[in-house]
Amino acid sequence: MQLSEEEEDRNLSLSKFESMLKTNKVLFFDSEEFEEIILHYLDLGKNNLAKKALKLALEQHPKSTGLKLVQVEMLVFEDKLDNAEKLLNELYAIEPQNEEIYIQKANIYSKKDLHEKAIEYLKIALSYTDDFADVYNLMGMEYLFMDNLELAKDSFIKCLEIDLEDQSALYNVVYCFEFLEQNNEAIAYLNSYIDKNPYSEIAWHQVGRLYYAEKEYEKAIRAFEFATYIDDDFLGAFMEKAKAFERLKQYEKAIESYIKTLELDDPTSYALLRIGKCYEKLGNKALALKYFNKTVHEDPLLDKGWIAITDFYVRQKNFQKALYFVNKALAIDNQNRLYWKRFASINKAMNLFEEAEFGYRKAVEFGDYQMDTWLFWVDILQFLGEFDAAIESLLQASELFPDSFEIEYRLAGLYYMLNKNVKGKFHLSNALRLNIESVNLLETLFPVVWMKKIVQSTISNYKNI
């Protein structure tokens, strides 16, 4: 790649400086060369070399304001804020109209979490600077620190009005719109930005993301496609496009985009998993399983991969294999309520009721408050003859679902099974009041209780009210 004249000059300066360090000969550099060298080493994190360069620079150019401002930057970086401020005050006395002095003052106040004061100095810097975009960008960051997203957004927009190519400002302005839940305004802004800068793949990608969030999947796909036309290695745009195709149930096109991401970079377990899901939706079980297996081979610790294989075998009613793979997922995340529910359902399908009861209990323990989970659990407890435990669970469930006839019929049945007729009648009356049409649920779950005269009498009396 052809280097610019500026880059060639900098490389020559760096080579000359490093040669000087090796030979211990002192060579002359002008102050701007030294600034380039010092900032280059700071950017690389080579602070010791930056300090050596600064020491030599100040020896050769003791009155250079530019070098002293670089010294301030290094002092701020090292959190020597008082020293930095003292030096800035000396520079201010010499060059009160130098915008860099105000920018560094703002930097110091920002470090001290005095962001309003930092903004005051940045506003002064605007009076003297030629680089308005940079100052507006810095102001935007200060407003972000203050959680003032509206003013941050305005500052980043001003920055982009001056410098359309400032990608960090573009990302930040979209972040502000999203944080403020102004998706439609963000879309309008990005479309106007694209009118001025139609070859910005970042803008196309961001507007695609926003259309996707608004469930406008066709518009999202169009935006992602423009991003990939501009940059045909834009992995993120291909990934997002694939997700949008999935939402539209265009699984072949989704697969095509996911496969493109595999070609652009090392395979990701996420892309492999989604390809497997798409093939499963298309009814191609062999390829679905192939990609699910590739997913867990790529990332054996991805529990979602093991769960995808679990669900695949559940749909095939191959519960033995499903159990093996759900255990793999639980070995990675044994506090996931959804995995425990699967574990329970699979064991239930295999008539392994004690294991199923354990699974439902763990699912509830880890926060599964779905009604069906509680009812499956209680019905298994009843089947196992654990009537007291079943009642205790139902009473907990009734706090979550106070108007559930399904809970009340079960409580009634269990209390009658234990010959606690007063409590049985209380819950049966509740159940009848809530849903008398479902009274046959009691007969289905508790045929012995159904035959009791006291139960039939309560039902008859309620029907005759």
Side-chain angles (χ1 to χ4, degrees), residues 62-89:
K63 293 185 178 178
S64 166
T65 304
L67 286 170
K68 286 182 179 177
L69 282 165
V70 172
Q71 187 180 9
V72 168
E73 202 170 321
M74 286 182 70
L75 289 168
V76 171
F77 180 77
E78 293 171 345
D79 276 333
K80 296 176 180 175
L81 303 182
D82 292 339
N83 291 346
E85 199 159 10
K86 184 181 173 188
L87 185 51
L88 275 176
N89 290 335

Side-chain angles (χ1 to χ4, degrees), residues 44-269:
L44 292 178
K46 295 182 177 180
N47 293 352
N48 286 335
L49 281 173
K51 282 181 181 178
K52 277 185 185 178
L54 179 62
K55 183 173 179 293
L56 281 166
L58 289 170
E59 284 171 4
Q60 291 187 11
H61 306 280
K63 293 185 178 178
S64 166
T65 304
L67 286 170
K68 286 182 179 177
L69 282 165
V70 172
Q71 187 180 9
V72 168
E73 202 170 321
M74 286 182 70
L75 289 168
V76 171
F77 180 77
E78 293 171 345
D79 276 333
K80 296 176 180 175
L81 303 182
D82 292 339
N83 291 346
E85 199 159 10
K86 184 181 173 188
L87 185 51
L88 275 176
N89 290 335
E90 290 171 11
L91 292 171
Y92 173 76
I94 302 164
E95 289 190 31
Q97 294 185 338
N98 187 324
E99 79 273 12
E100 195 61 34
I101 292 171
Y102 300 102
I103 288 170
Q104 290 301 335
K105 279 260 191 188
N107 195 7
I108 289 168
Y109 282 115
S110 183
K111 280 259 189 177
K112 292 179 176 179
D113 289 331
L114 298 168
H115 301 295
E116 287 184 10
K117 197 79 176 166
I119 286 165
E120 282 178 30
Y121 276 99
L122 289 171
K123 284 179 178 176
I124 297 169
L126 281 174
S127 307
Y128 301 114
T129 190
D130 293 326
D131 190 356
F132 294 100
D134 185 46
V135 178
Y136 279 125
N137 206 342
L138 292 169
M139 287 175 73
M141 294 308 297
E142 293 303 318
Y143 283 125
L144 279 183
F145 290 135
M146 293 164 65
D147 291 328
N148 191 330
L149 278 294
E150 280 290 353
L151 287 178
K153 181 184 72 177
D154 292 344
S155 297
F156 292 127
I157 287 171
K158 283 176 183 171
C159 171
L160 288 164
E161 283 169 358
I162 300 158
D163 181 5
L164 277 174
E165 301 298 331
D166 191 326
Q167 292 186 357
S168 69
L170 185 58
Y171 279 119
N172 282 328
V173 81
V174 174
Y175 167 80
C176 293
F177 274 119
E178 287 188 288
F179 191 90
L180 293 163
E181 297 181 351
Q182 297 172 348
N183 276 20
N184 289 326
E185 293 90 335
I187 289 168
Y189 173 77
L190 282 169
N191 281 326
S192 69
Y193 175 90
I194 286 165
D195 287 341
K196 298 174 200 162
N197 190 10
Y199 295 105
S200 169
E201 72 275 22
I202 304 297
W204 282 113
H205 178 245
Q206 292 296 306
V207 81
R209 281 181 55 256
L210 291 160
Y211 278 130
Y212 184 93
E214 294 297 310
K215 298 187 166 71
E216 294 191 54
Y217 301 120
E218 275 139 1
K219 286 183 179 178
I221 288 165
R222 179 174 167 272
F224 294 135
E225 280 178 343
F226 275 116
T228 60
Y229 295 153
I230 298 161
D231 178 0
D232 58 8
D233 289 339
F234 198 157
L235 188 144
F238 282 108
M239 187 72 81
E240 300 281 358
K241 184 167 71 161
K243 286 162 62 179
F245 276 128
E246 252 195 283
R247 291 287 187 178
L248 293 171
K249 300 185 178 176
Q250 296 180 25
Y251 300 115
E252 292 96 340
K253 289 183 178 178
I255 290 167
E256 191 181 317
S257 281
Y258 282 127
I259 285 174
K260 182 67 178 174
T261 70
L262 305 182
E263 293 167 1
L264 289 172
D265 201 356
D266 293 334
T268 65
S269 52

